[in-house]
Every structure is written in C-alpha cells, then in structure tokens.
Amino acid sequence: MGSPFGLIGAILRSAHRVATRLFAQEGDGRIEDRTVDRVQLARTVLGAAATIALILAYNVDPNRWEDAAYGGAAQLVVAPFVLIIAAPLVIIGFIYYAPAHLRPHLRSRLRAPLKAVGWYVLTLVVIGGILVPTALTVNADDGKSWWEYVLAVASLIVIVWGFPFFFMASLYSARSAFNSAQVHPMLPPVLTMTLVWVFAAFSLIGDGMPAGPPVVQFCSTLGGPLSVTAVSLWELRRMRTRFGVTLRA
C-alpha cells in the first residue's frame, strides 16, 4: 500500500469487488460447465487471432491497430446499452414462449436483472452528474469557492475509482447479460446470440465490407457471429441433454 503500484492495485481490487458483487451474481440459475467455458475461451482466442491475421493480410491502413483497439473498447462500452434496449424484447418473448404456469415464476425472478440495470444506469448518472458540472463550472484560473473544491475532489474520485469500476461493470454486465441467468439458465446464451448479431449489423452498416477477396469478406463479416451462435446453440443443447434444462421448463 505504501508504493504507487500497491495503491493502484488496491483501487482496482476495490472496483473489481464492487463490480462483481453487483453485476456478476448469477445466482442459483447459473449452470457451471467448464467444458463450455473452455470452448468459449478457445473461440475468443481463435477469433482474435483470425482478426489479427486478416488485418495483417488485407488491411493496409496504417491506423489499423488503433482502429481495432478503439473498436473493441467501443463494443465493450456499447454492449450494456444494446442489452438494455434489446434484452427486454428477448425476455418478453422468452417468457411468452414458456408454459403459462411457469410465466409468473419467471416474471418474479426479473428483480435481479432489473436491479443490475438500475445500478448500471445509476453509475452513468453519477459519473455524468459529477464530471459535466465540473467541466462547465470549475476554472483553475479564478478563486475557487468551497463547492468547486468539492466538485474537483469528486471528479478525481470518479477518474481514479469510477472509471475502472465502469469498465469492469460494462465487462461483467455484457458477460452475464445483467445477471439474466437468475431468470432462466438459457437466457444468457440467447441474449449473447442477439447481441453479436446486432453488433454485426451495426458494423456492416457503419463500416461496410472489409478489405479482401469475397471469401475473406464473408468470413470477416459473418465468422464471428456464426461462431458465437454455434457455440451458444451447442451450450443450449448441453443444458438440455446433460442438465435437463429446456426452454419450456
């Protein structure tokens, strides 16, 4: 704790502890399947390697690495917002598809994801509610009043602790789909499939087709969504065959 690295480590551990408590509590509905976890990790590594190979082979833009890094960070930040918009539609359809006698039970379990969404929105409100007034009112050249000092200290706390917490909250919110496994174990992979195809559509509309031959363009555009969909469908099948979990039960 006496060294700068010790202080940074303590701040990151504190932010991580709070983020996991709020956004990574999937409850009893989560099915622990190490095989699925390993396959998901392998798919992520292979996807990253394929992206790097395609950039090296066909993208001659000198800023390609910077653009790829910004794109990945942007997707991480945007993913929770896409979930907030798209997840209610998926969950409504999911509950409607369930047998009538199970619908009240599933609706009663919506508290956990709604609570996680509420904490995420509150985080954004607090960060914006502190940084925006600070940027608009605090001036280092004039004499500061007491409330300007308060805003400056609050902004420092947001930058030092709030930003790492927001990054981790976004990561865990996207991974757990706002603790949606507490509603039904099959909801996270279903929401993952929805999220990846929404991002694929946004990428195609915003950036167009990538460089390279038609086969490479097809693989680059649809390889990620198709591979994520395949893994998610396989995960759903394992839930049904190995754990007896179905969409109708």
Side-chain angles (χ1 to χ4, degrees), residues 40-123:
Q40 289 175 341
L41 178 60
R43 195 223 67 84
T44 302
V45 173
L46 291 175
T51 300
I52 293 172
L54 290 172
I55 289 176
L56 289 174
Y58 297 104
N59 193 340
V60 296
D61 185 356
N63 298 321
R64 58 189 181 272
W65 298 114
E66 183 179 354
D67 292 341
Y70 281 133
Q75 283 193 0
L76 174 63
V77 174
V78 172
F81 295 97
V82 176
L83 280 173
I84 291 174
I85 297 172
L89 301 176
V90 176
I91 293 175
I92 289 173
F94 194 94
I95 294 177
Y96 179 78
Y97 181 75
H101 68 280
L102 289 179
R103 293 171 192 169
H105 173 71
L106 294 177
R107 286 194 294 266
S108 69
R109 299 179 69 86
L110 288 173
R111 180 181 178 184
L114 290 176
K115 187 176 180 181
V117 170
W119 280 116
Y120 192 83
V121 173
L122 180 61
T123 300

Side-chain angles (χ1 to χ4, degrees), residues 201-248:
F202 284 166
S203 177
L204 185 62
I205 294 172
D207 301 330
M209 297 295 290
V215 174
V216 173
Q217 291 179 332
F218 176 83
C219 293
S220 179
T221 302
L222 299 180
L226 288 175
S227 61
V228 171
T229 300
V231 172
S232 297
L233 291 175
W234 174 70
E235 181 182 1
L236 292 172
R237 183 178 182 276
R238 281 180 64 87
M239 287 185 187
R240 185 178 68 253
T241 57
R242 294 180 63 89
F243 300 98
V245 178
T246 68
L247 291 174
R248 303 285 292 174

Side-chain angles (χ1 to χ4, degrees), residues 3-242:
S3 68
F5 292 106
L7 180 59
I8 293 173
I11 292 172
L12 293 179
R13 285 193 299 271
S14 173
H16 178 265
R17 184 165 55 250
V18 178
T20 53
R21 185 182 304 126
L22 295 178
F23 303 103
Q25 298 299 319
E26 296 176 332
D28 298 335
R30 174 68 175 176
I31 295 178
E32 296 291 340
D33 192 335
R34 298 302 180 189
T35 302
V36 172
D37 293 340
R38 287 193 290 268
V39 171
Q40 289 175 341
L41 178 60
R43 195 223 67 84
T44 302
V45 173
L46 291 175
T51 300
I52 293 172
L54 290 172
I55 289 176
L56 289 174
Y58 297 104
N59 193 340
V60 296
D61 185 356
N63 298 321
R64 58 189 181 272
W65 298 114
E66 183 179 354
D67 292 341
Y70 281 133
Q75 283 193 0
L76 174 63
V77 174
V78 172
F81 295 97
V82 176
L83 280 173
I84 291 174
I85 297 172
L89 301 176
V90 176
I91 293 175
I92 289 173
F94 194 94
I95 294 177
Y96 179 78
Y97 181 75
H101 68 280
L102 289 179
R103 293 171 192 169
H105 173 71
L106 294 177
R107 286 194 294 266
S108 69
R109 299 179 69 86
L110 288 173
R111 180 181 178 184
L114 290 176
K115 187 176 180 181
V117 170
W119 280 116
Y120 192 83
V121 173
L122 180 61
T123 300
L124 291 174
V125 171
V126 170
I127 291 176
I130 292 175
L131 293 183
V132 172
T134 302
L136 294 176
T137 59
V138 174
N139 189 345
D141 296 331
D142 62 6
K144 293 184 176 64
S145 59
W146 66 270
W147 58 269
E148 288 181 301
Y149 283 105
V150 171
L151 279 177
V153 171
S155 297
L156 180 62
I157 295 173
V158 166
I159 294 171
V160 173
W161 189 90
F163 281 177
F165 170 75
F166 175 70
F167 176 84
M168 296 176 190
S170 300
L171 177 64
Y172 287 126
S173 296
R175 188 176 187 278
S176 68
F178 288 108
N179 300 329
S180 60
Q182 293 200 27
V183 179
H184 195 282
M186 286 186 166
L187 259 180
V190 172
L191 289 171
T192 298
M193 287 188 287
T194 304
L195 183 65
V196 73
W197 283 106
V198 169
F199 274 128
F202 284 166
S203 177
L204 185 62
I205 294 172
D207 301 330
M209 297 295 290
V215 174
V216 173
Q217 291 179 332
F218 176 83
C219 293
S220 179
T221 302
L222 299 180
L226 288 175
S227 61
V228 171
T229 300
V231 172
S232 297
L233 291 175
W234 174 70
E235 181 182 1
L236 292 172
R237 183 178 182 276
R238 281 180 64 87
M239 287 185 187
R240 185 178 68 253
T241 57
R242 294 180 63 89

